[in-house]
C-alpha cells in the first residue's frame, strides 16, 4: 500500500486544550503519527512518499474562501495583537450560537476565531496552517492514486480532519481530509463515492458537508452523541436532506461496546455502502475505538483491527484511508497498521 506521509505534521503541536473544565496537555500530539510511521517501516509496509502539491482551488470544493483565508492568516494576526502571543496557543472563547449572527465577518480577531470554531479544545498554533495544508495534499494525493487505479492508499497526516466543517474547526480538526479525498474522487469522474467513518467520535464535519448530496454516501459508527463528543450530531435519525435524503446513515453505539457488536454494526454499514453502489471508498481511520484510549469508551483490542481491515476489504472497492483519531499513543501505530495489513491480506 502506498502511504502519503505529511512531513510537516509536527509543526502543529498544541500545548493545552480545555477538557472537562480544566486546561490539560493536548491529547492530539505528533507522536501519534510518529508511532504509525515507525510501525509501517518496521513491517516494511510499502512505499512511504511525500504528497504532491495541489493549489488551493482543490480546497474550495469543500471549504469556504473566508474560512481558508482566516486559517492561513490567523497566527500572524494573533501575534500582531501582542508580541507575547508568540508563546501562547490560540483558543477561542466566544461563539455565535442560536440567535447570534454568523453571516457578518467581524473585524475583531477573537470574534472571527469564535465564528470559525466549535470548541475550546482545538488550539491553533504557529504551524497549524502549514501542517493542515500539507495534510490536505496527502489526502488529495491518496485519492488521485486510487482514482488512477491503485487498490488502496493511505494518507498519514495530522491534525485529523473529520470534525472540520465547510467553515469551522474543532475536535482537533482544521481541514476535512476525508471530504477532500471524496470530492477529489468525484472530480476524477466517479459518480458515487462512499465515506465510512470508524472513529469513536462522529464525523460531524463530513456529514454536514455532504448532507444534501446524493453522490457521496456517508456512514459512521461511533459513540452515542447523547454522552459522547461531538454531542450535537451523529444521531440515527439523521438521514440526509433534500437531494441527500437517504444518503446519510449513523450507527451510534453505547459506551462499553466490544468488538462483537461493533463488527456486526460494521457489516450493516457496509451493506448500506453496497446498496448505494459506491465505486470507491474513503475510510476515516480513527483508532480511538481501542480499549485503552483515554478519551473514548469502546473495548476493541489490537487483533480486532486486523479483522476490521479484512471486513473493509471485502467491500471490494478502491479505498483511500485517512488517518483520524486515536490517543492511546503507544498502541496507535500497531492498531493503524493492523487495519491496513488486514485489508491488504484480504484484498490479495
Amino acid at each position: 500500500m502506498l502511504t502519503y506521509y505529511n512531513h510537516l505534521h509536527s509543526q502543529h503541536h498544541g500545548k493545552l486544550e480545555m477538557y472537562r473544565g480544566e486546561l490539560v496537555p493536548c491529547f492530539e500530539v505528533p507522536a501519534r503519527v510518529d508511532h504509525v510511521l515507525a510501525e509501517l517501516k518496521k513491517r516494511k509496509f510499502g512505499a512511504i512518499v511525500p504528497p504532491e502539491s495541489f493549489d488551493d482551488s482543490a480546497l474550495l470544493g469543500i471549504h469556504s474562501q473566508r474560512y481558508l483565508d482566516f486559517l492561513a492568516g490567523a497566527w500572524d494576526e494573533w501575534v500582531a495583537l501582542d508580541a507575547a502571543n508568540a508563546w501562547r496557543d490560540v483558543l477561542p472563547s466566544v461563539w455565535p450560537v442560536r440567535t447570534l449572527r454568523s453571516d457578518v465577518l467581524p473585524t475583531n480577531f477573537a470574534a472571527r476565531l469564535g465564528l470559525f470554531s466549535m470548541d475550546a479544545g482545538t488550539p491553533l498554533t504557529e504551524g497549524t496552517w502549514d501542517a493542515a495544508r500539507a495534510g490536505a495534499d496527502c489526502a488529495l494525493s491518496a485519492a488521485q492514486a486510487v482514482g488512477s487505479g491503485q487498490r488502496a492508499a493511505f494518507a498519514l497526516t495530522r491534525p485529523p480532519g473529520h470534525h472540520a466543517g465547510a467553515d469551522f474547526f474543532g475536535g482537533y480538526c482544521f481541514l476535512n481530509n476525508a471530504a477532500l479525498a471524496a470530492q477529489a474522487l468525484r472530480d476524477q469522474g466517479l459518480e458515487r463515492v462512499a465515506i465510512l467513518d470508524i472513529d469513536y467520535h462522529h464525523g460531524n464535519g463530513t456529514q454536514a458537508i455532504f448532507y444534501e448530496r446524493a453522490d457521496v454516501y456517508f456512514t459512521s459508527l461511533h459513540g452515542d452523541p447523547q454522552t459522547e463528543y461531538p454531542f450535537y450530531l451523529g444521531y440515527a435519525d439523521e438521514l440526509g436532506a433534500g437531494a441527500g435524503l437517504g444518503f446519510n446513515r449513523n450507527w451510534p453505539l453505547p459506551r462499553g461496546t466490544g468488538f462483537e457488536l461493533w463488527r456486526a454494526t460494521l457489516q450493516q454499514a457496509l451493506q448500506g455502502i453496497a446498496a448505494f453502489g459506491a465505486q470507491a471508498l474513503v475510510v476515516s481511520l480513527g483508532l480511538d475505538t481501542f480499549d485503552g484510549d483515554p478519551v473514548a469508551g469502546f473495548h476493541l483490542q489490537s487483533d480486532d483491527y486486523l479483522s476490521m481491515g479484512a471486513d473493509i476489504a471485502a467491500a471490494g472497492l478502491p479505498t483511500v484511508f485517512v488517518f483520524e483519531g486515536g490517543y492511546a499513543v503507544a498502541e496507535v501505530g500497531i492498531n493503524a497498521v493492523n487495519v491496513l495489513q488486514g485489508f491488504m491480506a484480504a484484498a490479495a
Side-chain angles (χ1 to χ4, degrees):
M1 183 182 296
L2 190 61
T3 294
Y4 290 95
Y5 167 63
N6 180 1
H7 65 290
L8 298 180
H9 78 88
S10 62
Q11 292 192 19
H12 172 72
H13 192 176
K15 300 179 181 70
L16 298 170
E17 64 176 86
M18 181 64 70
Y19 183 71
R20 295 177 180 171
E22 62 179 334
L23 287 171
V24 300
C26 289
F27 292 102
E28 204 289 293
V29 294
R32 299 175 58 243
V33 160
D34 295 341
H35 278 277
V36 179
L37 182 64
E39 192 68 19
L40 288 168
K41 291 178 177 179
K42 177 182 177 182
R43 301 194 205 181
K44 298 181 172 59
F45 200 79
I48 301 169
V49 299
E52 296 186 34
S53 294
F54 294 80
D55 63 40
D56 286 349
S57 64
L59 306 184
L60 288 170
I62 296 300
H63 295 289
S64 73
Q65 184 69 65
R66 71 176 191 170
Y67 174 60
L68 296 174
D69 291 343
F70 173 79
L71 284 183
W75 183 258
D76 289 341
E77 285 194 69
W78 174 241
V79 175
L81 292 173
D82 182 344
N85 282 350
W87 290 272
R88 305 185 187 110
D89 290 349
V90 187
L91 284 172
S93 60
V94 60
W95 293 270
V97 299
R98 295 180 176 84
T99 59
L100 300 181
R101 293 181 64 175
S102 60
D103 57 315
V104 178
L105 187 64
T107 56
N108 180 278
F109 177 78
R112 278 182 289 119
L113 178 66
L115 177 66
F116 294 123
S117 67
M118 63 176 278
D119 63 31
T122 306
L124 191 153
T125 77
E126 182 176 10
T128 295
W129 172 248
D130 288 341
R133 186 63 186 79
D137 281 343
C138 287
L140 293 166
S141 296
Q144 181 170 273
V146 167
S148 299
Q150 290 283 335
R151 178 66 172 88
F154 179 34
L156 177 56
T157 184
R158 53 170 295 282
H162 71 150
H163 293 304
D167 60 356
F168 63 86
F169 66 89
Y172 311 144
C173 304
F174 296 89
L175 296 176
N176 195 309
N177 298 315
L180 288 165
Q183 185 60 51
L185 289 165
R186 284 285 292 111
D187 292 342
Q188 292 177 70
L190 298 183
E191 295 181 358
R192 294 177 301 281
V193 176
I195 301 173
L196 171 66
D197 194 320
I198 55 175
D199 194 280
Y200 180 78
H201 304 94
H202 177 255
N204 60 285
T206 315
Q207 172 174 304
I209 287 165
F210 297 112
Y211 202 63
E212 297 186 13
R213 288 174 53 172
D215 57 332
V216 177
Y217 179 90
F218 176 76
T219 188
S220 175
L221 293 70
H222 50 268
D224 190 335
Q226 286 274 13
T227 58
E228 310 303 318
Y229 186 93
F231 306 114
Y232 309 114
L233 216 59
Y235 293 90
D237 63 353
E238 296 160 9
L239 301 174
L245 183 61
F247 298 98
N248 194 91
R249 188 67 191 270
N250 290 321
W251 304 91
L253 295 166
R255 178 171 280 265
T257 291
F259 188 55
E260 183 177 0
L261 174 57
W262 192 96
R263 190 179 193 185
T265 308
L266 175 63
Q267 294 303 320
Q268 295 181 76
L270 291 171
Q271 288 168 16
I273 290 170
F276 170 65
Q279 297 163 295
L281 177 64
V282 177
V283 178
S284 274
L285 182 58
L287 290 311
D288 41 6
T289 50
F290 180 63
D291 189 31
D293 197 281
V295 295
F298 289 168
H299 294 314
L300 277 63
Q301 307 300 315
S302 290
D303 285 349
D304 295 332
Y305 293 97
L306 291 163
S307 300
M308 181 190 300
D311 290 350
I312 295 170
L317 295 171
T319 301
V320 175
F321 288 93
V322 178
F323 188 58
E324 301 280 8
Y327 309 101
V329 176
E331 295 85 5
V332 72
I334 293 170
N335 295 340
V337 182
N338 276 0
V339 175
L340 304 179
Q341 181 175 313
F343 179 95
M344 292 305 290

